[in-house]
Amino acid sequence: MEIIESIEAMRDRSRELRREGKTISLVPTMGYLHEGHLFLMRDGRSRADCLVISIYVNPTQFSPGEDFERYPRDFERDVALAKQAGVDIIFCPTSNDMYPEGYLTYVNVEKMTAELCGLTRPNYFRGVTTICAKLFNIVAPHLAIFGKKDFQQYQVIRQMVRDLNMELEIVGLPTVRENGGLAMSSRNVYLAAQERESALSLYAALKLADDMYRQGERDARVILAEARKIIEERPYTVIDYAKIVSAQSMKEVTRIEGETVFALAVKVGATRLIDNHVFGDSLEI
């Protein structure tokens, strides 16, 4: 397995692979790898000749007061896990290289980024789209793989790739969950034992919503009212948003028709967690 820090070295390696007729899959990460990341990597391993992952905690997607400085990091552990998952190349650039002095250029996807997480994290999606556009340009993958736990992010990246005529495929994979249903996240490490118990209410709310949908309920307000109760009755929980939205626009709907998503962001103690469910998809863990 190769570890590449230089942007030019990564570009050179990708050009070499493409000249040899090799296909490249990319899994972008911010490190502190968990089973959800490894699930994406194993899928990427099966789809291409060369599997590249990026490890980079991107400062431009954090707002002031968020957890950029304390975001969990353990590069040696990440390297060991990446080897086990069959990764060929780890690309781990520095912020001095990715955002050098005088950097002025950002990528914005409009409208759909103004909903859900965009309401309370105004810098987040501009940072995500900018770093992904840079990674796609540097690594030149044939496909990039994302987890659908960050469903809005996944849809925003797909929109950017379409709009900017980028020549790669975006693959979305189901959410990987811990026992009890908690969606895997690097931020789960912040949760104390009692908070972790309360965090399970997110999955319970999604499960209730799914059950109501399968029993024929289509009124989003009715489903939301019952699902919110499950979260609000638990200690340490504060709902940022709980909305049923169009999967394409991310705008809230009153009736479940077409591809529709129940999206959650909840603070459990000091930790902000997100989760979602696309109605009609499986919620099994």
Side-chain angles (χ1 to χ4, degrees):
M1 186 174 70
E2 303 173 64
I3 298 176
I4 299 177
E5 296 182 8
S6 158
I7 290 173
E8 284 309 312
M10 185 68 248
R11 277 204 176 114
D12 288 344
R13 190 72 180 94
S14 293
R15 290 188 192 109
E16 180 183 6
L17 288 164
R18 281 178 166 264
R19 280 196 301 269
E20 294 171 354
K22 302 285 181 62
T23 53
I24 303 169
S25 60
L26 170 66
V27 178
T29 86
M30 293 207 300
Y32 210 73
L33 304 180
H34 52 68
E35 179 56 35
H37 295 115
L38 301 181
F39 175 63
L40 304 184
M41 292 174 199
R42 288 191 291 267
D43 186 84
R45 171 76 282 156
S46 71
R47 291 175 185 264
D49 300 311
C50 179
L51 170 59
V52 180
I53 71 166
S54 61
I55 295 179
Y56 178 65
V57 183
N58 176 35
T60 65
Q61 67 193 65
F62 290 80
S63 295
E66 291 188 341
D67 60 344
F68 173 70
E69 294 297 336
R70 71 186 188 101
Y71 191 86
R73 297 162 169 88
D74 190 339
F75 187 71
E76 289 185 8
R77 174 179 169 275
D78 288 346
V79 169
L81 290 172
K83 282 183 179 177
Q84 293 174 21
V87 171
D88 296 299
I89 299 172
I90 295 177
F91 176 49
C92 49
T94 67
S95 286
N96 286 338
D97 285 341
M98 295 301 274
Y99 300 105
E101 186 176 352
Y103 187 91
L104 296 174
T105 303
Y106 296 88
V107 178
N108 282 308
V109 173
E110 299 184 351
K111 293 186 178 179
M112 64 195 304
T113 59
E115 309 295 333
L116 303 179
C117 285
L119 292 171
T120 52
R121 303 187 71 193
N123 297 328
Y124 176 70
F125 287 111
R126 185 181 80 155
V128 167
T129 46
T130 298
I131 193 62
C132 284
K134 290 172 72 69
L135 289 171
F136 297 163
N137 280 330
I138 294 164
V139 178
H142 295 81
L143 62 147
I145 300 168
F146 293 83
K148 289 185 179 179
K149 178 182 79 78
D150 300 290
F151 190 85
Q152 187 178 14
Q153 172 183 279
Y154 163 67
Q155 291 289 63
V156 167
I157 295 299
R158 290 179 70 204
Q159 185 74 40
M160 178 188 74
V161 167
R162 284 195 300 268
D163 289 349
L164 297 183
N165 307 111
M166 294 181 174
E167 196 175 0
L168 79 157
E169 177 188 0
I170 301 300
V171 177
L173 297 182
T175 301
V176 178
R177 300 182 179 278
E178 300 180 6
N179 290 336
L182 181 62
M184 287 196 172
S185 168
S186 298
R187 288 188 169 95
N188 290 354
V189 70
Y190 299 154
L191 295 168
Q194 292 173 317
E195 292 171 343
R196 184 174 287 270
E197 281 296 312
S198 290
L200 298 178
S201 66
L202 276 72
Y203 178 75
L206 296 179
K207 183 70 169 63
L208 175 65
D210 182 64
D211 289 344
M212 292 177 71
Y213 172 81
R214 292 182 187 279
Q215 291 163 15
E217 184 61 70
R218 295 295 183 269
D219 189 322
R221 293 163 296 190
V222 172
I223 292 176
L224 284 173
E226 295 303 314
R228 288 180 68 100
K229 288 178 188 176
I230 290 179
I231 298 170
E232 290 170 338
E233 70 185 9
R234 300 296 303 174
Y236 315 113
T237 60
V238 177
I239 295 175
D240 179 353
Y241 62 75
K243 295 182 178 181
I244 295 176
V245 302
S246 160
Q248 279 67 50
S249 69
M250 299 292 123
K251 287 188 177 295
E252 197 163 10
V253 300
T254 57
R255 189 157 187 83
I256 300 172
E257 296 172 334
E259 190 178 20
T260 310
V261 185
F262 180 16
L264 289 171
V266 179
K267 286 196 78 172
V268 182
T271 305
R272 185 178 184 275
L273 302 176
I274 62 170
D275 207 339
N276 70 80
H277 174 58
V278 178
F279 289 102
D281 286 359
S282 173
L283 242 182
E284 292 182 5
I285 57 174

